[in-house]
Amino acid sequence: MKPMTSAATPKGVRRRSRLIEAAGALLLEGGFDAVRHRAVADRAELPLASTTYYFGSLEDLMAQAADYVCRCDEAAITARGAALRRRRRGARAMADALAEVFVGPDASVHDLAVRYEMFALAPRYALLNAVIADHHALLAGVHTDVLQKSGRLADPVHVRCLIAVEDGAVMGALGQHPTEPINAAREALVSVVDVLAPPN
C-alpha cells in the first residue's frame, strides 16, 4: 500500500477515508468497473484531483476499495465465528457451521459476486493481490478457531483445502439459479469435512 505521506494531516486523513469509503461503496454496487477516479470523487463529494493526490494510481484506488470491502466482510465473519457456541459437531453440523460463518446467512448473490470478482482479479494487480492474500490469511485463522471450537483438527494445509471447497461451491452456485450459494457450500463441505478436519 502507498504510504500516507500525502494524507498526514487530520484533514488529509479524513479526505482519504472518504475517498476509500466511496470507492468501496462503488465496488459493492458495480464491481471494479465502477471504481474510477471521477466516480469516486463524485461519490465522496471531493475534487477530482483529490483521487490522484491521495492515491498513486487507479490500481492503488482499486486495492483500497477492495481492502475496505474485505475489512467489512471480515468483521461480519469474525463476529459470526465468535458467536458460534463451543461444542463437538458431527459432519452435517460442522458443514452447516462453516457455511453459516463463512458464506453468511444473509449474503446476497450480488455481494458474493463482488467477493469472487476480487479474488479472480487479484493475480493481475500486485496491490490487490496483497489485499486478498491478507484477507485469506485472516479467514484461515477464523477457520482454525471455528474448527477447534467444534472439536476438530485444523491442519493449515487442510484448512486451505476447506476454503477452496467453500469457494468452489459458492462460485459454482452463482451461475446456477435458483441454487442458494450457502446451501451449495453446505453440501460440498459435508462430504469432505471429516477427511479434512476430523474429530480430535
Side-chain angles (χ1 to χ4, degrees):
M1 293 296 175
K2 181 184 178 183
M4 290 181 56
T5 54
S6 60
T9 66
K11 180 180 178 181
V13 170
R14 288 194 300 271
R15 283 192 162 201
R16 191 172 188 274
S17 295
R18 281 172 61 186
L19 290 165
I20 291 172
E21 186 173 347
L26 288 166
L27 175 57
L28 284 171
E29 290 173 12
F32 279 113
D33 286 344
V35 181
R36 294 295 180 263
H37 289 290
R38 184 173 297 280
V40 171
D42 288 348
R43 176 62 65 93
E45 298 182 339
L46 290 170
L48 175 59
S50 63
T51 59
T52 53
Y53 181 76
Y54 292 110
F55 305 98
S57 63
L58 179 60
E59 180 185 345
D60 185 13
L61 188 56
M62 291 168 59
Q64 294 292 346
D67 187 63
Y68 177 85
V69 171
C70 284
R71 297 294 83 80
C72 294
D73 200 22
E74 289 163 8
I77 288 169
T78 300
R80 291 194 295 266
L84 191 70
R85 293 179 59 188
R86 182 177 296 275
R87 68 175 179 84
R88 298 187 70 83
R89 290 177 170 85
R92 172 57 67 180
M94 190 71 256
D96 289 346
L98 289 169
E100 290 282 328
V101 171
F102 296 102
V103 180
D106 302 318
S108 70
V109 168
H110 177 82
D111 289 347
L112 291 170
V114 170
R115 178 192 296 182
Y116 288 102
E117 180 186 7
M118 292 192 297
F119 293 179
L121 287 179
R124 295 174 55 188
Y125 302 100
L127 294 176
L128 177 60
N129 203 34
V131 169
I132 299 305
D134 288 346
H135 180 66
H136 279 136
L138 183 140
L139 292 186
V142 181
H143 272 82
T144 297
D145 291 343
V146 167
L147 291 170
Q148 290 176 343
K149 285 172 71 172
S150 302
R152 297 273 171 164
L153 296 177
D155 175 80
V157 173
H158 289 170
V159 166
R160 290 196 293 272
C161 291
L162 278 175
I163 293 172
V165 170
E166 293 162 10
D167 288 343
V170 172
M171 283 191 287
L174 289 176
Q176 297 181 25
H177 184 77
T179 303
E180 290 290 336
I182 191 169
N183 292 335
R186 286 188 180 107
E187 294 309 312
L189 286 164
V190 73
S191 61
V192 301
V193 72
D194 278 346
V195 175
L196 295 176
N200 60 13

